[in-house]
Amino acid sequence: MYNPTVLTSPEGLSDGILNRDRRALSRAMSWVEDEHPGVDRLFRRLHGRTGRALRVGITGPPGAGKSTLVARLAQLLRARHAEVGIVAVDPTSPFTGGALLGDRIRMPELAADDGVFMRSMATRGSLGGLAAATHEVVDLLDAFGVDWVLLETVGVGQSELDVARMADVTFVVLVPESGDAVQAMKAGLMEIGDLFVVNKADRDGADRSVMEIRSMLALRDRKGRRPLEVKTTVAVDGTGVPELLDAVSAFLETARADGSFAARRRKVERWRLLQLAQRVLVRRLTIGEAGESALERLTDDVLARTTSPHDAAAELVEAALKGMAGRT
Amino acid sequence: MYNPTVLTSPEGLSDGILNRDRRALSRAMSWVEDEHPGVDRLFRRLHGRTGRALRVGITGPPGAGKSTLVARLAQLLRARHAEVGIVAVDPTSPFTGGALLGDRIRMPELAADDGVFMRSMATRGSLGGLAAATHEVVDLLDAFGVDWVLLETVGVGQSELDVARMADVTFVVLVPESGDAVQAMKAGLMEIGDLFVVNKADRDGADRSVMEIRSMLALRDRKGRRPLEVKTTVAVDGTGVPELLDAVSAFLETARADGSFAARRRKVERWRLLQLAQRVLVRRLTIGEAGESALERLTDDVLARTTSPHDAAAELVEAALKGMAGRT
């Protein structure tokens, strides 16, 4: 029997999520962000309920209008009776420790809709924590039962691009400004997009921008597959958004049919496993007396130049092994 | 006896570097970027010769004039008879696999000077590879004998900021544009700067920009220490660059005196050790039959929902450590 007052244990939270309690969902997301020790047990109970939601990545340079486009897509999906989760990876303020723009401020038109679930992720931590935490938040939404997760991330920086890579389909949003496509190419965005969108297409130069993107995409090896699509939108008034959603759906349908959908999910899951394994190792090395003392001692040795960092790292992993063997 | 023709082994390369052979330095840097298996042995021989060079981080948004400022600083240091290494972390082109701007094109005035050593790092790989590889390139320059390493990185993205954090002193370059300081704060730049520079200070709004930065810095907890300095420069004609270098030197002198220099180096080395330990683990999990099969099998289990990713990761680490025990 689900007791909505017990939201402090992994079992209570997972029951809450499976019973569609929004407070449980929200608290579980905070656990993920805080790296709460109960997260592993939480996912032991929830993982079996994940995998159904479609994950759409939206990336592009700052100022391209990604958030507005995401809001329009969410509205359109809501009109079609789908439930939508939105996860935004935002730059962090070092002063507040969180995203500068609150979830409600970002998309006032969606804040009152209880079929929409929003979360802003702060860019914090290190050692690959951002992508792993984002993946967990997406999984929570999936287990909660949303049909679509819109995963918005700024298209600059290695960790941020890693986030975009975890989606089933990712589109890159650019604006019709001279050189924007070149900058996007430099930032690695052309490589990760499955679709391209020129937003603010009512501005001058939109047609030229589409052509510019097409010519860059032509350089990309497509191994005989059909060329990637370039769509145009005006997110502020919704122009082109239904056509964009159709293109996203068509991409997913084709990917399901040719097996690339499953192959990509496998690749993402394999990559995530390696990230989580690293987290396990780092915890083992930094938490608890045995790990901490080996790390501190070896740091001293490296600074004293009595061992190289590379040999010290191998020794550190070996020390973690011994601590582990001792516990089994 | 050093034989300059043998640059294919870790021993040959390290001898070459210690004998100040530029070709050896360049090849060792390529080894680092390619994650050549000889890198560990290379650093076993070179690590004892590192630690002398001063590491200056230069970061800021694209277009702030970082590269020009770095070139001016290098010229000034050269005029004072110091040898200078420059490491630039650039966005990658997915088409070329390397930096779009060649090292020589970036700073033509320095290309002919054999007391200057430049390297552009591509933003590639994942799992924290960029910061670790950059650290190794800096160490190679250090072992080669340069006095200063100027470490330039774009101030967007988590991995890129990790690069800036490894320096002994880091300054943030901004331009006098409305809202630039706010953007920098959002990107986490205010948190990592030891000094701030308003470049292109001949433009309108430079004074306002300095004030804006000062007011944001006032929010930062300085625990009774003196406020951070904000300098102005015009990198294209060199205005303010000597004063900037003086401020950098003064910061380092104070840090040496109060122990924070050594404390920061220790923190950086400890962090690097954790990164290298993760690399050891990932190699063990992805290279060789035993590791690969455990990873593939557990990925399948996670996709089949018979185990959670978190439990699979713990099992993976256990499998890796057992494989290790088997070899000792």
Side-chain angles (χ1 to χ4, degrees):
Chain A
M1 188 65 90
Y2 169 55
N3 176 352
T5 63
V6 186
L7 294 180
T8 53
S9 69
E11 293 70 26
L13 280 184
S14 56
D15 285 354
I17 287 169
L18 298 178
N19 280 284
R20 302 191 55 79
D21 178 341
R22 290 178 79 106
R23 284 179 312 146
L25 177 63
S26 174
R27 186 168 298 181
M29 287 174 172
S30 299
W31 274 29
V32 163
E33 285 209 303
D34 299 343
E35 302 196 7
H36 187 285
V39 165
D40 289 15
R41 266 164 70 202
L42 183 64
F43 280 99
R44 194 171 297 154
R45 291 173 67 100
L46 290 178
H47 180 65
R49 304 292 282 266
T50 63
R52 207 187 55 84
L54 293 168
R55 295 143 191 237
V56 182
I58 297 96
T59 190
K66 295 184 293 297
S67 297
T68 311
L69 199 50
V70 164
R72 291 280 169 238
L73 279 172
Q75 285 175 318
L76 194 59
L77 288 165
R78 288 297 298 134
R80 298 178 186 181
H81 309 292
E83 286 195 5
V84 184
I86 300 174
V87 182
V89 177
D90 269 5
T92 314
S93 156
F95 303 110
T96 64
L100 274 188
L101 298 171
D103 295 334
R104 285 172 184 279
I105 298 166
R106 293 178 82 236
M107 301 176 189
E109 64 276 39
L110 294 174
D113 182 340
D114 69 1
V116 176
F117 306 83
M118 277 180 241
R119 189 77 177 194
S120 294
M121 305 286 296
T123 306
R124 66 185 166 198
S126 60
L127 301 166
L130 178 67
T134 303
H135 201 135
E136 287 170 345
V137 165
V138 170
D139 278 356
L140 288 174
L141 286 162
D142 193 343
F144 188 83
V146 304
D147 303 292
W148 295 78
V149 178
L150 306 179
L151 186 54
E152 176 196 338
T153 171
V154 65
V156 282
Q158 184 167 298
S159 311
E160 291 72 14
L161 290 182
D162 285 344
V163 169
R165 282 194 189 94
M166 74 179 64
D168 297 316
V169 52
T170 292
F171 62 83
V172 174
V173 186
L174 300 171
V175 286
E177 269 160 30
S178 167
D180 207 38
V182 174
Q183 289 298 325
M185 185 184 76
K186 286 169 72 176
L189 286 176
M190 297 317 243
E191 195 183 13
I192 66 165
D194 300 305
L195 288 165
F196 291 80
V197 179
V198 176
N199 189 33
K200 306 185 185 178
D202 50 343
R203 287 195 193 166
D204 282 349
D207 292 346
R208 199 183 53 235
S209 193
V210 169
M211 282 194 303
E212 198 182 18
I213 294 167
R214 287 218 171 99
S215 67
M216 288 199 181
L217 290 174
L219 296 173
R220 211 172 109 169
D221 179 20
R222 293 281 300 153
K223 290 167 194 150
R225 292 165 67 192
R226 62 174 185 179
L228 299 177
E229 282 191 79
V230 184
K231 312 298 282 185
T232 54
T233 56
V234 185
V236 286
D237 67 12
T239 303
V241 178
E243 292 78 6
L244 173 60
L245 183 56
D246 289 345
V248 166
S249 299
F251 180 92
L252 290 172
E253 209 168 303
T254 306
R256 276 195 193 277
D258 70 12
S260 59
F261 183 92
R264 194 197 280 207
R265 285 223 166 165
R266 189 174 199 292
K267 192 175 161 190
V268 169
E269 203 53 74
R270 181 183 187 276
W271 184 75
R272 190 247 285 257
L273 265 187
L274 283 175
Q275 290 192 301
L276 289 177
Q278 290 178 77
R279 190 202 277 179
V280 170
L281 180 72
V282 169
R283 281 195 185 153
R284 220 173 279 281
L285 292 174
T286 54
I287 298 172
E289 264 179 49
E292 196 68 21
S293 69
L295 179 57
E296 303 306 332
R297 178 176 54 78
L298 284 161
T299 302
D300 288 335
D301 290 349
V302 169
L303 288 167
R305 264 78 195 168
T306 55
T307 184
S308 78
H310 303 73
D311 287 341
E315 202 179 325
L316 205 50
V317 174
E318 200 123 15
L321 151 71
K322 277 183 193 141
M324 213 158 152
R327 280 211 299 277
T328 42
Chain B
M1 188 63 91
Y2 170 57
N3 177 353
T5 63
V6 185
L7 295 180
T8 54
S9 69
E11 294 70 27
L13 280 185
S14 56
D15 285 354
I17 286 168
L18 298 177
N19 281 284
R20 301 190 56 79
D21 178 340
R22 290 179 79 107
R23 283 181 312 147
L25 177 63
S26 173
R27 184 167 299 181
M29 288 174 172
S30 298
W31 274 28
V32 164
E33 284 209 303
D34 299 342
E35 302 197 8
H36 187 285
V39 165
D40 289 14
R41 266 164 71 201
L42 183 63
F43 281 99
R44 194 171 296 154
R45 293 173 66 102
L46 289 179
H47 181 65
R49 304 293 281 267
T50 62
R52 207 186 56 82
L54 293 169
R55 294 143 191 236
V56 183
I58 298 95
T59 191
K66 294 183 294 297
S67 297
T68 311
L69 199 50
V70 164
R72 292 279 170 239
L73 278 171
Q75 285 176 316
L76 195 59
L77 288 165
R78 289 298 297 135
R80 297 177 187 182
H81 308 293
E83 285 195 6
V84 183
I86 299 173
V87 181
V89 177
D90 268 7
T92 315
S93 156
F95 303 110
T96 64
L100 275 187
L101 299 170
D103 295 333
R104 286 176 181 278
I105 298 166
R106 293 179 82 237
M107 301 177 189
E109 64 275 39
L110 294 173
D113 182 341
D114 69 1
V116 176
F117 305 83
M118 278 179 242
R119 188 77 176 195
S120 293
M121 305 287 295
T123 305
R124 66 183 165 200
S126 60
L127 301 165
L130 178 67
T134 304
H135 201 135
E136 287 170 345
V137 165
V138 169
D139 277 356
L140 288 173
L141 286 162
D142 192 344
F144 188 83
V146 305
D147 303 291
W148 295 79
V149 178
L150 306 179
L151 186 53
E152 176 196 339
T153 172
V154 66
V156 281
Q158 184 166 299
S159 311
E160 291 69 15
L161 290 183
D162 284 345
V163 168
R165 283 195 187 93
M166 74 179 64
D168 297 316
V169 53
T170 292
F171 62 84
V172 174
V173 186
L174 300 171
V175 285
E177 270 160 30
S178 169
D180 208 38
V182 174
Q183 289 298 326
M185 186 185 74
K186 286 170 69 177
L189 286 176
M190 297 316 244
E191 195 184 13
I192 66 166
D194 300 304
L195 288 165
F196 291 80
V197 180
V198 176
N199 189 34
K200 307 184 185 179
D202 49 344
R203 287 195 192 167
D204 282 349
D207 291 346
R208 199 183 53 235
S209 194
V210 169
M211 282 192 305
E212 199 182 18
I213 295 167
R214 287 216 172 102
S215 67
M216 291 201 177
L217 290 174
L219 297 174
R220 213 172 106 168
D221 178 22
R222 293 282 299 153
K223 291 166 194 149
R225 291 165 67 192
R226 62 173 185 180
L228 298 177
E229 284 192 77
V230 184
K231 313 298 284 184
T232 55
T233 55
V234 184
V236 285
D237 68 12
T239 303
V241 178
E243 292 79 6
L244 172 61
L245 184 56
D246 288 347
V248 166
S249 300
F251 180 93
L252 290 171
E253 209 167 303
T254 306
R256 275 195 193 279
D258 69 14
S260 60
F261 183 93
R264 191 195 284 208
R265 284 220 167 168
R266 189 174 199 291
K267 192 175 160 191
V268 168
E269 202 55 75
R270 182 182 185 278
W271 185 75
R272 190 248 285 258
L273 263 187
L274 283 175
Q275 290 193 302
L276 289 176
Q278 291 179 76
R279 189 202 279 179
V280 170
L281 179 73
V282 169
R283 281 196 185 152
R284 217 173 282 282
L285 291 175
T286 55
I287 298 172
E289 262 177 52
E292 197 68 22
S293 70
L295 179 58
E296 303 306 331
R297 177 176 55 78
L298 285 161
T299 302
D300 289 335
D301 291 349
V302 169
L303 288 167
R305 263 78 195 170
T306 55
T307 184
S308 78
H310 302 73
D311 287 342
E315 200 179 325
L316 204 51
V317 173
E318 200 123 13
L321 297 177
K322 272 189 196 133
M324 209 159 152
R327 280 212 299 279
T328 41

